[in-house]
Amino acid sequence: MGNELREASIQEGSKKKVSGCAGKAIESGSAISGGRAPNETLDEKWRELVAAGRAEWMPGMLACIYRDDGSLLGSSRHGKPGPDFLPDWNDSATLGALLGQVRKRWNDPAAHLVPDGDWHVRGDLPWTQYGTGDTEAEALLAALEEAP
């Protein structure tokens, strides 16, 4: 499933586009042919967090680089990729690496994702919440942004 789209992250009736590193893109209810569906919000947030030292590339994360037309140019899971690479926001290993960073930054080994309409990053205590988003990736990046 690493390069495949994770349809579970698409909410019914949503018009939000998501993409996988395989260069595939879908919109709820219909397929989009061609390149990657843009996700400027997550991409920009990632760049901001990395520049601020609040997030980092980890071994196993799927790094993708795209041509101007959105088609996949290449991908890698090895080392720290260059600045033009972006994480595959639907890759299980990438999401797991982000969750590991959330646990470390919040010093909470029990931090976990909970789907409840939106996605929530919650901690050990039931009322502890570190981040919320429409997708797992959005919630994880929000938790990293808010981490002490």
Side-chain angles (χ1 to χ4, degrees):
M1 183 183 288
N3 288 350
E4 297 299 316
L5 294 173
R6 295 185 51 189
E7 294 184 37
S9 68
I10 302 172
Q11 296 176 353
E12 189 65 39
S14 170
K15 294 299 179 187
K16 179 175 242 175
K17 296 176 184 176
V18 296
S19 65
C21 205
K24 297 178 182 177
I26 61 173
E27 181 174 346
S28 182
S30 65
I32 300 170
S33 61
R36 174 180 184 265
N39 198 329
E40 289 85 11
T41 303
L42 285 176
D43 297 344
E44 283 305 311
K45 181 60 63 187
W46 171 253
R47 288 184 173 116
E48 290 171 15
L49 291 170
V50 169
R54 301 182 73 72
E56 63 181 311
W57 286 101
M58 301 296 292
M61 291 177 71
L62 185 56
C64 312
I65 189 166
Y66 300 92
R67 295 179 180 95
D68 289 340
D69 67 1
S71 62
L72 181 67
L73 179 61
S75 64
S76 174
R77 287 193 192 273
H78 306 288
K80 294 190 179 194
D84 292 332
F85 281 81
L86 294 165
D88 181 338
W89 301 116
N90 301 296
D91 177 63
S92 297
T94 299
L95 295 172
L98 291 173
L99 179 57
Q101 291 181 57
V102 167
R103 289 174 175 166
K104 182 178 179 180
R105 293 201 47 94
W106 282 99
N107 193 28
D108 185 348
H112 57 282
L113 283 156
V114 177
D116 185 21
D118 291 328
W119 285 91
H120 305 275
V121 180
R122 296 197 176 137
D124 189 27
L125 302 173
W127 56 86
T128 307
Q129 183 162 299
Y130 301 129
T132 301
D134 290 338
T135 65
E136 293 166 288
E138 285 180 28
L140 290 164
L141 291 184
L144 288 169
E145 184 176 32
E146 296 298 321

